[in-house]
Amino acid sequence: MNELYNVTSSPHVRSKMSTNKVMLCVIIALLPATIFGIFNFGPRALAVIVITIASCLVSEYLFNVITHRKQSVGDLSCIVTGLLLALNLSSTIPLWIPVIGGVFAIVVVKMVFGGLGQNFMNPALGARCFLLLSFTGPMTSFATVPLDTTTSATPLSYLSDGGLYSNTMAMFTGRISGTIGETCVWAILIGAIFLIAMGIIDLRIPGTYIITFAIFIILFGGHLTSGDLVTFVVQELCGGGLMLGAFFMATDYVTSPITPKGKIIYGIICGCLLGIFRLFGASAEGCSYSIIFANMLVPLIERFTVPKPFGKGGEK
């Protein structure tokens, strides 16, 4: 026989894109939001970013040394985790809190469960939610823009009270209070376009996430007391961590579905949960929690959306 078939175990999908190349692309895509965040909030933001990344990198390195595992810091995933976590923090936060967050993200959420590919939720978001519950005051205190020493509420605080923020364009261009990386929508979109162009992500998850959330706001945003509904929806889309979460964290390979139908269902769940948290919850935000809850539903989603093998279960 001239032709032989090699039978191997799964996975059978092959790609020329290695893990560290994927992570490098994500880092490059996050640079516009990172640079703008440093410009917007000053050297203090840079310090938070450097410390958070360093704590994640050192945590993974030491964990591998202590547990005698193969060193994995070269895949750059710990740097992506640190950068994403830093972009979800306030520039005014005490610098010891990002250290705790970095250790929690890497050791508790990622490495204890087996490392990259085994974690059941996004490490950066898991750490952010842990920090929100543990240090609510510092985590919800934000510098005003233009930058000064006082703190200010985010535009979402106005929206949660049924009103509108005074400047929609400022929300799009990033000249508002918030975390380091979530304020500038155009910078986030530049990074998202880069990821889509490189084939790292597609629009199924972020698209259904954002559209579902917008529809939810239109249907249930009856608490609006002043202004028009269109402006309210636009400000909800531009405010908080929705754009950063939709394109950079909900699309995490490990914690999101791999099937096309599963991605759509997952995005719809994220959008509905965010709508519930923002409109009916006690907090003005809720993006992190919406993605984490959806992360935990991924095994169930994939159970019902994995295609059947050819010739199995079809009509007789």
Side-chain angles (χ1 to χ4, degrees):
M1 295 179 65
N2 294 327
E3 296 183 3
L4 296 177
Y5 292 94
N6 294 320
V7 179
T8 60
S9 60
S10 62
H12 302 293
V13 178
R14 298 291 184 265
S15 174
K16 296 180 180 179
M17 186 74 74
S18 62
T19 300
N20 62 337
K21 288 183 179 179
V22 170
M23 296 301 166
L24 181 60
C25 286
V26 176
I27 293 171
I28 294 172
L30 286 169
L31 285 180
T34 303
I35 293 171
F36 184 88
I38 296 170
F39 168 78
N40 209 25
F41 298 108
R44 194 66 167 62
L46 178 60
V48 172
I49 293 170
V50 171
I51 289 174
T52 310
I53 293 175
S55 67
C56 287
L57 195 152
V58 172
S59 296
E60 184 159 332
Y61 178 82
L62 292 179
F63 187 93
N64 286 328
V65 171
I66 294 171
T67 58
H68 305 289
R69 293 186 185 182
K70 181 180 179 181
Q71 201 53 251
S72 57
V73 294
D75 63 21
L76 304 181
S77 61
C78 59
I79 295 178
V80 171
T81 296
L83 182 55
L84 283 172
L85 176 58
L87 295 181
N88 278 278
L89 298 177
S90 169
S91 62
T92 63
I93 198 166
L95 296 180
W96 54 270
I97 292 181
V99 175
I100 295 176
V103 173
F104 185 89
I106 297 298
V107 176
V108 178
V109 183
K110 180 182 177 183
M111 301 306 291
V112 166
F113 288 93
L116 183 64
Q118 305 298 319
N119 48 286
F120 69 99
M121 69 171 64
N122 184 286
L125 288 182
R128 183 175 190 266
C129 291
F130 168 75
L131 295 179
L132 275 170
L133 294 173
S134 303
F135 311 104
T136 305
M139 287 289 292
T140 54
S141 179
F142 306 101
T144 59
V145 179
L147 187 65
D148 60 32
T149 57
T150 62
T151 58
S152 172
T154 65
L156 287 183
S157 301
Y158 297 93
L159 299 178
S160 65
D161 293 332
L164 293 175
Y165 188 65
S166 59
N167 192 336
T168 303
M169 184 55 66
M171 295 182 69
F172 182 80
T173 57
R175 302 299 285 171
I176 56 173
S177 301
T179 66
I180 296 171
E182 74 179 14
T183 59
C184 187
V185 175
W186 63 263
I188 295 171
L189 291 178
I190 289 174
I193 292 171
F194 174 77
L195 289 183
I196 294 171
M198 293 295 294
I200 305 298
I201 65 172
D202 60 41
L203 281 172
R204 287 187 181 93
I205 291 175
T208 52
Y209 188 175
I210 294 169
I211 292 172
T212 300
F213 174 67
I215 293 173
F216 193 98
I217 292 296
I218 293 172
L219 294 177
F220 301 103
H223 72 299
L224 180 65
T225 58
S226 62
D228 63 283
L229 183 60
V230 174
T231 303
F232 181 69
V233 172
V234 171
Q235 292 191 357
E236 283 282 2
L237 293 177
C238 292
L242 172 59
M243 292 298 171
L244 184 65
F247 288 104
F248 288 95
M249 288 176 283
T251 54
D252 176 28
Y253 285 177
V254 179
T255 56
S256 63
I258 61 173
T259 61
K261 290 182 181 178
K263 290 180 179 181
I264 294 174
I265 295 172
Y266 173 79
I268 292 172
I269 292 173
C270 286
C272 290
L273 287 174
L274 180 58
I276 292 171
F277 291 143
R278 282 199 183 177
L279 293 185
F280 307 111
S283 173
E285 182 56 290
C287 182
S288 299
Y289 294 111
S290 70
I291 296 174
I292 281 181
F293 279 117
N295 286 163
M296 292 186 285
L297 293 174
V298 167
L300 184 62
I301 294 172
E302 292 196 326
R303 178 180 177 183
F304 292 101
T305 58
V306 172
K308 293 181 179 179
F310 180 75
K312 180 179 179 181
E315 295 182 2
K316 297 183 178 179

